[in-house]
PDB file of all heavy atoms in Angstrom:
ATOM      1  N   GLU A 188      63.519 -28.820  -2.259  1.00  0.00           N
ATOM      2  CA  GLU A 188      64.140 -30.013  -1.671  1.00  0.00           C
ATOM      3  C   GLU A 188      64.143 -31.154  -2.689  1.00  0.00           C
ATOM      4  O   GLU A 188      63.526 -31.072  -3.730  1.00  0.00           O
ATOM      5  CB  GLU A 188      63.358 -30.447  -0.421  1.00  0.00           C
ATOM      6  CG  GLU A 188      63.267 -29.398   0.663  1.00  0.00           C
ATOM      7  CD  GLU A 188      64.612 -29.071   1.300  1.00  0.00           C
ATOM      8  OE1 GLU A 188      65.520 -29.916   1.255  1.00  0.00           O
ATOM      9  OE2 GLU A 188      64.743 -27.960   1.814  1.00  0.00           O
ATOM     10  N   ASP A 189      64.852 -32.230  -2.347  1.00  0.00           N
ATOM     11  CA  ASP A 189      64.801 -33.408  -3.214  1.00  0.00           C
ATOM     12  C   ASP A 189      63.498 -34.177  -2.950  1.00  0.00           C
ATOM     13  O   ASP A 189      62.750 -33.865  -2.032  1.00  0.00           O
ATOM     14  CB  ASP A 189      66.042 -34.284  -3.027  1.00  0.00           C
ATOM     15  CG  ASP A 189      66.169 -34.877  -1.634  1.00  0.00           C
ATOM     16  OD1 ASP A 189      65.142 -35.185  -0.990  1.00  0.00           O
ATOM     17  OD2 ASP A 189      67.310 -35.043  -1.170  1.00  0.00           O
ATOM     18  N   ARG A 190      63.247 -35.183  -3.759  1.00  0.00           N
ATOM     19  CA  ARG A 190      61.961 -35.897  -3.685  1.00  0.00           C
ATOM     20  C   ARG A 190      61.719 -36.563  -2.336  1.00  0.00           C
ATOM     21  O   ARG A 190      60.631 -36.488  -1.799  1.00  0.00           O
ATOM     22  CB  ARG A 190      61.869 -36.930  -4.811  1.00  0.00           C
ATOM     23  CG  ARG A 190      61.701 -36.290  -6.183  1.00  0.00           C
ATOM     24  CD  ARG A 190      61.516 -37.331  -7.269  1.00  0.00           C
ATOM     25  NE  ARG A 190      60.457 -38.286  -6.982  1.00  0.00           N
ATOM     26  CZ  ARG A 190      59.148 -38.056  -7.105  1.00  0.00           C
ATOM     27  NH1 ARG A 190      58.724 -36.888  -7.516  1.00  0.00           N
ATOM     28  NH2 ARG A 190      58.270 -38.992  -6.814  1.00  0.00           N
ATOM     29  N   SER A 191      62.732 -37.229  -1.789  1.00  0.00           N
ATOM     30  CA  SER A 191      62.504 -37.917  -0.512  1.00  0.00           C
ATOM     31  C   SER A 191      62.246 -36.912   0.608  1.00  0.00           C
ATOM     32  O   SER A 191      61.390 -37.139   1.465  1.00  0.00           O
ATOM     33  CB  SER A 191      63.663 -38.855  -0.172  1.00  0.00           C
ATOM     34  OG  SER A 191      64.852 -38.129  -0.011  1.00  0.00           O
ATOM     35  N   GLU A 192      62.958 -35.808   0.598  1.00  0.00           N
ATOM     36  CA  GLU A 192      62.738 -34.774   1.617  1.00  0.00           C
ATOM     37  C   GLU A 192      61.363 -34.130   1.437  1.00  0.00           C
ATOM     38  O   GLU A 192      60.659 -33.871   2.415  1.00  0.00           O
ATOM     39  CB  GLU A 192      63.841 -33.714   1.553  1.00  0.00           C
ATOM     40  CG  GLU A 192      63.737 -32.650   2.630  1.00  0.00           C
ATOM     41  CD  GLU A 192      63.883 -33.176   4.051  1.00  0.00           C
ATOM     42  OE1 GLU A 192      64.520 -34.224   4.268  1.00  0.00           O
ATOM     43  OE2 GLU A 192      63.340 -32.531   4.976  1.00  0.00           O
ATOM     44  N   ALA A 193      60.977 -33.891   0.203  1.00  0.00           N
ATOM     45  CA  ALA A 193      59.668 -33.296  -0.062  1.00  0.00           C
ATOM     46  C   ALA A 193      58.545 -34.225   0.399  1.00  0.00           C
ATOM     47  O   ALA A 193      57.556 -33.772   0.984  1.00  0.00           O
ATOM     48  CB  ALA A 193      59.520 -32.975  -1.546  1.00  0.00           C
ATOM     49  N   ALA A 194      58.691 -35.519   0.161  1.00  0.00           N
ATOM     50  CA  ALA A 194      57.675 -36.478   0.600  1.00  0.00           C
ATOM     51  C   ALA A 194      57.581 -36.487   2.120  1.00  0.00           C
ATOM     52  O   ALA A 194      56.478 -36.510   2.686  1.00  0.00           O
ATOM     53  CB  ALA A 194      58.000 -37.870   0.064  1.00  0.00           C
ATOM     54  N   TYR A 195      58.722 -36.452   2.793  1.00  0.00           N
ATOM     55  CA  TYR A 195      58.703 -36.426   4.252  1.00  0.00           C
ATOM     56  C   TYR A 195      58.109 -35.113   4.776  1.00  0.00           C
ATOM     57  O   TYR A 195      57.347 -35.107   5.745  1.00  0.00           O
ATOM     58  CB  TYR A 195      60.095 -36.652   4.845  1.00  0.00           C
ATOM     59  CG  TYR A 195      60.034 -36.669   6.353  1.00  0.00           C
ATOM     60  CD1 TYR A 195      59.409 -37.721   7.013  1.00  0.00           C
ATOM     61  CD2 TYR A 195      60.537 -35.613   7.101  1.00  0.00           C
ATOM     62  CE1 TYR A 195      59.298 -37.722   8.393  1.00  0.00           C
ATOM     63  CE2 TYR A 195      60.430 -35.617   8.488  1.00  0.00           C
ATOM     64  CZ  TYR A 195      59.807 -36.671   9.124  1.00  0.00           C
ATOM     65  OH  TYR A 195      59.684 -36.673  10.492  1.00  0.00           O
ATOM     66  N   GLN A 196      58.445 -33.998   4.132  1.00  0.00           N
ATOM     67  CA  GLN A 196      57.863 -32.716   4.540  1.00  0.00           C
ATOM     68  C   GLN A 196      56.343 -32.765   4.439  1.00  0.00           C
ATOM     69  O   GLN A 196      55.645 -32.285   5.333  1.00  0.00           O
ATOM     70  CB  GLN A 196      58.392 -31.567   3.668  1.00  0.00           C
ATOM     71  CG  GLN A 196      59.787 -31.140   4.022  1.00  0.00           C
ATOM     72  CD  GLN A 196      60.254 -29.976   3.176  1.00  0.00           C
ATOM     73  OE1 GLN A 196      59.624 -29.602   2.186  1.00  0.00           O
ATOM     74  NE2 GLN A 196      61.375 -29.402   3.552  1.00  0.00           N
ATOM     75  N   ALA A 197      55.846 -33.345   3.347  1.00  0.00           N
ATOM     76  CA  ALA A 197      54.400 -33.459   3.167  1.00  0.00           C
ATOM     77  C   ALA A 197      53.779 -34.268   4.301  1.00  0.00           C
ATOM     78  O   ALA A 197      52.754 -33.885   4.869  1.00  0.00           O
ATOM     79  CB  ALA A 197      54.083 -34.087   1.811  1.00  0.00           C
ATOM     80  N   GLN A 198      54.406 -35.380   4.657  1.00  0.00           N
ATOM     81  CA  GLN A 198      53.899 -36.200   5.758  1.00  0.00           C
ATOM     82  C   GLN A 198      53.897 -35.418   7.072  1.00  0.00           C
ATOM     83  O   GLN A 198      52.929 -35.468   7.829  1.00  0.00           O
ATOM     84  CB  GLN A 198      54.746 -37.457   5.913  1.00  0.00           C
ATOM     85  CG  GLN A 198      54.620 -38.433   4.784  1.00  0.00           C
ATOM     86  CD  GLN A 198      55.600 -39.585   4.927  1.00  0.00           C
ATOM     87  OE1 GLN A 198      56.543 -39.544   5.705  1.00  0.00           O
ATOM     88  NE2 GLN A 198      55.372 -40.633   4.148  1.00  0.00           N
ATOM     89  N   ALA A 199      54.975 -34.706   7.336  1.00  0.00           N
ATOM     90  CA  ALA A 199      55.098 -33.971   8.602  1.00  0.00           C
ATOM     91  C   ALA A 199      54.083 -32.835   8.689  1.00  0.00           C
ATOM     92  O   ALA A 199      53.453 -32.637   9.733  1.00  0.00           O
ATOM     93  CB  ALA A 199      56.523 -33.432   8.755  1.00  0.00           C
ATOM     94  N   VAL A 200      53.931 -32.088   7.616  1.00  0.00           N
ATOM     95  CA  VAL A 200      52.965 -30.979   7.629  1.00  0.00           C
ATOM     96  C   VAL A 200      51.555 -31.527   7.848  1.00  0.00           C
ATOM     97  O   VAL A 200      50.789 -30.989   8.654  1.00  0.00           O
ATOM     98  CB  VAL A 200      53.060 -30.140   6.337  1.00  0.00           C
ATOM     99  CG1 VAL A 200      51.881 -29.172   6.220  1.00  0.00           C
ATOM    100  CG2 VAL A 200      54.379 -29.370   6.297  1.00  0.00           C
ATOM    101  N   LEU A 201      51.209 -32.609   7.166  1.00  0.00           N
ATOM    102  CA  LEU A 201      49.879 -33.188   7.370  1.00  0.00           C
ATOM    103  C   LEU A 201      49.726 -33.774   8.768  1.00  0.00           C
ATOM    104  O   LEU A 201      48.626 -33.803   9.316  1.00  0.00           O
ATOM    105  CB  LEU A 201      49.565 -34.221   6.302  1.00  0.00           C
ATOM    106  CG  LEU A 201      49.212 -33.603   4.956  1.00  0.00           C
ATOM    107  CD1 LEU A 201      48.937 -34.674   3.924  1.00  0.00           C
ATOM    108  CD2 LEU A 201      48.025 -32.678   5.079  1.00  0.00           C
ATOM    109  N   GLY A 202      50.821 -34.211   9.361  1.00  0.00           N
ATOM    110  CA  GLY A 202      50.771 -34.647  10.761  1.00  0.00           C
ATOM    111  C   GLY A 202      50.372 -33.512  11.681  1.00  0.00           C
ATOM    112  O   GLY A 202      49.553 -33.686  12.591  1.00  0.00           O
ATOM    113  N   VAL A 203      50.918 -32.324  11.446  1.00  0.00           N
ATOM    114  CA  VAL A 203      50.549 -31.150  12.256  1.00  0.00           C
ATOM    115  C   VAL A 203      49.114 -30.730  11.946  1.00  0.00           C
ATOM    116  O   VAL A 203      48.346 -30.410  12.856  1.00  0.00           O
ATOM    117  CB  VAL A 203      51.551 -29.992  12.044  1.00  0.00           C
ATOM    118  CG1 VAL A 203      51.113 -28.750  12.812  1.00  0.00           C
ATOM    119  CG2 VAL A 203      52.956 -30.414  12.480  1.00  0.00           C
ATOM    120  N   VAL A 204      48.730 -30.760  10.682  1.00  0.00           N
ATOM    121  CA  VAL A 204      47.352 -30.437  10.310  1.00  0.00           C
ATOM    122  C   VAL A 204      46.389 -31.372  11.031  1.00  0.00           C
ATOM    123  O   VAL A 204      45.338 -30.946  11.522  1.00  0.00           O
ATOM    124  CB  VAL A 204      47.155 -30.514   8.775  1.00  0.00           C
ATOM    125  CG1 VAL A 204      45.680 -30.478   8.401  1.00  0.00           C
ATOM    126  CG2 VAL A 204      47.902 -29.377   8.086  1.00  0.00           C
ATOM    127  N   SER A 205      46.746 -32.658  11.128  1.00  0.00           N
ATOM    128  CA  SER A 205      45.857 -33.638  11.768  1.00  0.00           C
ATOM    129  C   SER A 205      45.603 -33.314  13.235  1.00  0.00           C
ATOM    130  O   SER A 205      44.558 -33.663  13.778  1.00  0.00           O
ATOM    131  CB  SER A 205      46.419 -35.050  11.630  1.00  0.00           C
ATOM    132  OG  SER A 205      47.520 -35.250  12.491  1.00  0.00           O
ATOM    133  N   GLU A 206      46.546 -32.616  13.870  1.00  0.00           N
ATOM    134  CA  GLU A 206      46.358 -32.229  15.267  1.00  0.00           C
ATOM    135  C   GLU A 206      45.417 -31.037  15.409  1.00  0.00           C
ATOM    136  O   GLU A 206      44.927 -30.771  16.497  1.00  0.00           O
ATOM    137  CB  GLU A 206      47.715 -31.908  15.895  1.00  0.00           C
ATOM    138  CG  GLU A 206      48.626 -33.112  15.974  1.00  0.00           C
ATOM    139  CD  GLU A 206      50.000 -32.776  16.499  1.00  0.00           C
ATOM    140  OE1 GLU A 206      50.124 -31.798  17.258  1.00  0.00           O
ATOM    141  OE2 GLU A 206      50.952 -33.484  16.142  1.00  0.00           O
ATOM    142  N   THR A 207      45.189 -30.324  14.323  1.00  0.00           N
ATOM    143  CA  THR A 207      44.347 -29.133  14.326  1.00  0.00           C
ATOM    144  C   THR A 207      42.964 -29.407  13.747  1.00  0.00           C
ATOM    145  O   THR A 207      41.979 -28.858  14.209  1.00  0.00           O
ATOM    146  CB  THR A 207      45.033 -28.014  13.504  1.00  0.00           C
ATOM    147  OG1 THR A 207      46.341 -27.807  14.024  1.00  0.00           O
ATOM    148  CG2 THR A 207      44.273 -26.717  13.575  1.00  0.00           C
ATOM    149  N   ALA A 208      42.909 -30.257  12.739  1.00  0.00           N
ATOM    150  CA  ALA A 208      41.648 -30.538  12.044  1.00  0.00           C
ATOM    151  C   ALA A 208      40.720 -31.371  12.918  1.00  0.00           C
ATOM    152  O   ALA A 208      41.185 -32.173  13.738  1.00  0.00           O
ATOM    153  CB  ALA A 208      41.942 -31.280  10.745  1.00  0.00           C
ATOM    154  N   PRO A 209      39.412 -31.182  12.753  1.00  0.00           N
ATOM    155  CA  PRO A 209      38.454 -32.006  13.496  1.00  0.00           C
ATOM    156  C   PRO A 209      38.636 -33.484  13.167  1.00  0.00           C
ATOM    157  O   PRO A 209      39.057 -33.831  12.058  1.00  0.00           O
ATOM    158  CB  PRO A 209      37.090 -31.520  13.000  1.00  0.00           C
ATOM    159  CG  PRO A 209      37.330 -30.222  12.334  1.00  0.00           C
ATOM    160  CD  PRO A 209      38.754 -30.211  11.880  1.00  0.00           C
ATOM    161  N   GLU A 210      38.308 -34.320  14.124  1.00  0.00           N
ATOM    162  CA  GLU A 210      38.419 -35.753  13.915  1.00  0.00           C
ATOM    163  C   GLU A 210      37.620 -36.164  12.683  1.00  0.00           C
ATOM    164  O   GLU A 210      36.492 -35.719  12.483  1.00  0.00           O
ATOM    165  CB  GLU A 210      37.877 -36.497  15.144  1.00  0.00           C
ATOM    166  CG  GLU A 210      38.194 -37.967  15.137  1.00  0.00           C
ATOM    167  CD  GLU A 210      37.871 -38.627  16.466  1.00  0.00           C
ATOM    168  OE1 GLU A 210      37.985 -37.969  17.511  1.00  0.00           O
ATOM    169  OE2 GLU A 210      37.505 -39.807  16.429  1.00  0.00           O
ATOM    170  N   GLY A 211      38.215 -36.960  11.854  1.00  0.00           N
ATOM    171  CA  GLY A 211      37.550 -37.432  10.652  1.00  0.00           C
ATOM    172  C   GLY A 211      37.803 -36.583   9.416  1.00  0.00           C
ATOM    173  O   GLY A 211      37.543 -37.034   8.303  1.00  0.00           O
ATOM    174  N   GLU A 212      38.291 -35.357   9.592  1.00  0.00           N
ATOM    175  CA  GLU A 212      38.515 -34.486   8.433  1.00  0.00           C
ATOM    176  C   GLU A 212      39.582 -35.053   7.502  1.00  0.00           C
ATOM    177  O   GLU A 212      39.418 -35.034   6.281  1.00  0.00           O
ATOM    178  CB  GLU A 212      38.897 -33.078   8.876  1.00  0.00           C
ATOM    179  CG  GLU A 212      38.987 -32.092   7.735  1.00  0.00           C
ATOM    180  CD  GLU A 212      37.692 -31.950   6.956  1.00  0.00           C
ATOM    181  OE1 GLU A 212      36.611 -31.853   7.574  1.00  0.00           O
ATOM    182  OE2 GLU A 212      37.758 -31.963   5.707  1.00  0.00           O
TER     183      GLU A 212
END
Side-chain angles (χ1 to χ4, degrees):
E188 301 294 336
D189 64 33
R190 289 184 52 77
S191 63
E192 183 63 26
Y195 182 69
Q196 283 182 349
Q198 292 174 346
V200 169
L201 284 179
V203 176
V204 168
S205 74
E206 295 176 27
T207 305
E210 191 170 328
E212 187 59 44

